[in-house]
Amino acid sequence: MEPIGIFILAMLCQVYSCAANVSDSVERMQYASVAGDEYLQEERLETNLDDKVYFDFDKSTLDAEDKNLLEQYLPEIKKAKIVRLEGHCDERGTREYNLALGERRALEVRDFLIVKGVSGKKIRVVSFGEEKPLKSASNEKAWAENRRVEISLY
Amino acid sequence: MIRFLFVALILVSNSIFSILEIEILKGSDNLSKIAFVPFGVDDGIEESYGRQISRNIEKNMLLFGEFENLPKSEMLSYPSSGNDFYYRDWKVLGVDYSVIGKVNSVNSLGNLNISYSLFNINRRIKLLEGEIVGSEDNIEGISKIISNRIYEEITGLKGIFDTKLAYVINSDADTYQMCISDIDGKNEQILFSSKAPIMSPDWSPDRKKMAYVSFENGLAEIFIQDLQSGERNSIQALGMTNSAPVWSPDGKSLALVVSFSGNPDIFLYSINSKRLIRLTNHYGIDTEPSWSPDSKKIIFTSDRSGSPQLYEINTQSKRKKRLTRDGNYNARGRYFPDGKSIFFVHGNNGNFQIATKKLSSRYIETLTSTSLDESPTISPNGNIIIYATKDGSNGYLGGITLDGKSRFSLPVKNGSVREPAWSPLLN
Amino acid sequence: MNKALTSLNTFFLVLLFLSLIFSIFSIPKLNIDKTQSIRVNFYELIQEEDILFDSSFPKTTVKKETKKTSATDEKIKAAEAAIVSKFKINKLDIKNEISKIKLSKEREDILRVSAIIQARISSIWIKPNSLSESLIAKVSINLAPSGELLNFDLIEPSINSSFNNSILTAMNKMTFFEEVLSLDRKLFEQNFRNFNLVFKSSGEIE
């Protein structure tokens, strides 16, 4: 438990230092470390698990089924260097709000993994909002498939 | 003095109480009918110039369906100056306004001198008379200037025929283009093309720069692009995600959304000093900021109440006020140019439509009737809204005048079109 | 001196009071509560009846003028009975209610003609769009007994010139108010020789 506590403390420190007006150089460094996606060059780790978690409209909560799937990921994640969580929404509602909602969904998954003992440093979160739908049709079935967080391990 | 007042009061009270007053609240559903008479030409000038100018003016004026035209075949005469203009010729045809004009002369520089007049047939008065000198190869530009003046005279609103529209085209799964074109769809220009999504274009108030979000580096990042040079710079704010940039009315800063470890809040970003000032601080989603025309307030979407609703924050006092209560989805609000009303996306029974609301009233009025309408943008004169909607899997742009009399859609592009942004007026 | 002034003031106060009373009584057939302008609308007229009558009663519309008195009496009696049996309300209340909406023939005529004029002006007035502004303008109308429009005047223009222009344009399309021909001369002289049209941009000005 201890490392998690320290991690959360560190995160809090980061948030506060960001919230205050920080100098230019710090901004860039911070940005680069978050944006750093060199891991994407490496090969993706294959698992035989479903790589998507689905959500209800305008919701970011995980249900029992989702949690069950994520628990199955835990041993796989131990082998991985990076866990990439990509949040998506369906086309309904506004684009910028959906961008935030996609992020919220990915974070919900991240928080669950952290609680289960995965190091936050391993996790990369990104949201595409409604910009990258899996299905382009405008019906309930397509929308349900598009409201997702995609999990990939590297 | 007091005595005088008393007497005046008696008179007034008597006259008010005895006269019948009929209230007229509803207007006609009809549009004003305008006759665009082919412009005459002086000796030695190509006749086609005259016809071209009046046809351009007609096309402009009819662009948003705000007026009806009189077909040329029905005209009884083609007057080109006030001397041969007879009101009765137009009154019998049910015309409300006539536009006539003449291409007068070409000087040694190849410049045309064009005179034009606008008549109100019912009131039997000449509303406007003007002259303009311009080059032969700028007939379109000249026509736009004349169209603006006529439009302003008839409607009392600013003419918008020289404005532009920015939009995003997604032509296939992996091609995104940030485009601008004239408001009539001509002269399309691709500002930026990418294999990753592009979002949220917003014009700088001087119309020289565009701010938008691009995912080219793997996550949402704000760029400012100079339209002249094409130079683009990431503004590199902070946090995980930077999105929804909007220029302040003075063009010196952006309101934008920064998400620090997953909590999106509204910030002000000064372009020169690159400093961020926090405006909201809430664990809910705060996004989609937009400035009031007097730059004192910012409207934004927040789900702090459990569903997305619109709020307004005073940029100085930071005092917040909730603006919408009806329905469980009210998002991406923008102010009207007069600052007294807002327009936004309103979700109702699974339909997402463009709606308006006066700030002084609690009622929401829905403008559109399709079900996946979003990203509304308003003409600088506050009379027309263009928005993105969907037909099957293809996005296209629709438009509506605020009196609801005219609905139109913009010409279909090759691909899915979205996120229209109407440019400001040229100063 | 002071005394003289006070008594003079008292005198004027009394005069004002009297004139107010006088003016209230001098709106002969148009005693419509406290409002000076009438919002007339056919639908409203019909709705008033709908409230009163059970749907099982045949609806008599305003147009039937021949058997007016008896028809009105029957209507009222029937309505009374229906309402009393339905809601068990105090009879006195109902009488008050009915006297409120019981229209004299003259008032009905004025409302009818006003409604037609209102509808006709609405059909030719191309109202400029002004979503946020609350505008109001008053036009005075002067008619000949033939219904001919002798003169109109924008006596109280709004602050918005395109709103004013749209009204002038609409008024210029009018030449005759034929609808006043159906009125008897006395009613015409009292109400329609001179009357005002009040143009409003939205329903929220009050």
Side-chain angles (χ1 to χ4, degrees), chain C residues 73-87:
Chain C
D73 282 354
E74 269 171 39
K75 271 195 234 171
I76 292 162
K77 269 184 193 162
E80 253 178 79
I83 291 174
V84 168
S85 66
K86 212 170 173 182
F87 302 109

Side-chain angles (χ1 to χ4, degrees), chain B residues 169-206:
Chain B
I169 303 184
N170 178 205
S171 47
D172 59 64
D174 285 322
T175 312
Y176 300 84
Q177 291 170 325
M178 168 84 256
C179 300
I180 57 174
S181 77
D182 293 350
I183 199 64
D184 59 6
K186 285 181 186 160
N187 303 319
E188 185 176 277
Q189 207 184 326
I190 299 169
L191 286 187
F192 176 65
S193 193
S194 171
K195 291 206 173 306
I198 303 172
M199 287 177 75
S200 316
D202 193 59
W203 295 83
S204 67
D206 61 5

Side-chain angles (χ1 to χ4, degrees), chain B residues 19 29 35 54 77 85 99 102 104 130 167 258 334 353 355 406:
Chain B
I19 206 150
D29 292 331
S54 62
S77 55
F85 187 88
V99 178
K102 194 169 184 184
N104 291 313
Y167 43 89
V258 180
R334 297 278 190 268
Q353 293 163 335
S406 166

Side-chain angles (χ1 to χ4, degrees), chain A residues 28 31 91 94 96 103 107, chain B residues 200 221 241 259 288 390:
Chain A
R28 291 227 177 79
Y31 190 83
E91 62 184 348
T94 59
E96 285 95 355
E103 188 172 286
L107 289 170
Chain B
S200 316
E221 212 179 331
T241 315
S259 165
E288 299 168 344
K390 236 186 151 193

Side-chain angles (χ1 to χ4, degrees), chain B residues 212-228:
Chain B
Y212 56 87
V213 168
S214 167
F215 284 77
E216 63 201 72
N217 294 326
L219 76 180
E221 212 179 331
I222 296 170
F223 286 82
I224 293 177
Q225 182 165 357
D226 188 285
L227 300 188
Q228 270 284 305

